[in-house]
Amino acid sequence: VQFLQSKNIPMSLAEEARLVKARTNGKSGYFDIFRDRLIFPILSTMGEPIAFGGRIILQGEPKYLNSPETELFNKSKELYGLFEAKKSIRELNQVIVVEGYMDVIALNQYGVTNVVATMGTAVTEEHIKILFRLCDNICYSFDGDNAGKKAAWRALERSMALVTDIKAVSFLFLPAEHDPDSYIREFGVEGFHARIKTSSLGLVTFLLN
């Protein structure tokens, strides 16, 4: 709030962008929506910040807080990390779709750079179309728990009408105790790539299973 006011940005505009909120209970002024959170900038495909994600630093709920949809930010069309990953996705002709910011960051730290994440929403047909414009192969790598399996099933439903002889999707299920972040820390980048090659399921196999 103090920074925006120092730049003479109207608080009404900041509120519309979902950066601040008007105080209630008879108090005047505004407070920061993302207070006490570690901030993850969400960039458009052109590299412009259009929203934020925030992870609580100490205690509190929710653990992660995303910007709500605005004129700039539509969750069903945006993917976290896509701007940074575009070049790698094209070169490798593959994208790995994970569930969270920390998975994207951890995989990048280990050199897996063709990775993106959805942002508090299931994979949409719009997401898939955007990714298929960049590459021919989408690998969904979700957590091994029930929530991850449900997310994978929704991704399958949205993908079915869009796969072709050239455009393919696959599904990588990690052991129940792992997410991509923890798996690559334990087994390294070679172990993660090996898991994709040997254990990912094609769409038809996953559907039949």
Side-chain angles (χ1 to χ4, degrees), residues 54-123:
R55 188 196 190 285
I56 198 76
I57 292 172
L58 298 174
Q59 298 295 319
E61 293 292 335
K63 183 177 178 182
Y64 284 95
L65 181 66
N66 292 326
S67 292
E69 297 203 341
T70 65
E71 285 187 42
L72 290 175
F73 178 52
N74 183 332
K75 288 184 216 177
S76 66
K77 295 181 180 178
E78 305 294 342
L79 289 153
Y80 179 72
L82 184 59
F83 172 71
E84 294 88 346
K86 279 192 300 184
K87 184 172 182 286
S88 181
I89 291 169
R90 286 194 181 101
E91 288 175 352
L92 297 170
N93 198 28
Q94 182 191 53
V95 61
I96 301 166
V97 181
V98 296
E99 288 186 270
Y101 308 125
M102 294 308 297
D103 290 328
V104 173
I105 292 168
L107 291 174
N108 269 273
Q109 283 180 319
Y110 281 82
V112 181
T113 54
N114 59 325
V115 57
V116 300
T118 56
M119 289 174 287
T121 183
V123 174

Side-chain angles (χ1 to χ4, degrees), residues 115-134:
V115 57
V116 300
T118 56
M119 289 174 287
T121 183
V123 174
T124 66
E125 286 194 11
E126 193 62 37
H127 289 146
I128 298 165
K129 288 175 182 175
I130 289 166
L131 294 175
F132 271 153
R133 285 198 284 270
L134 295 172

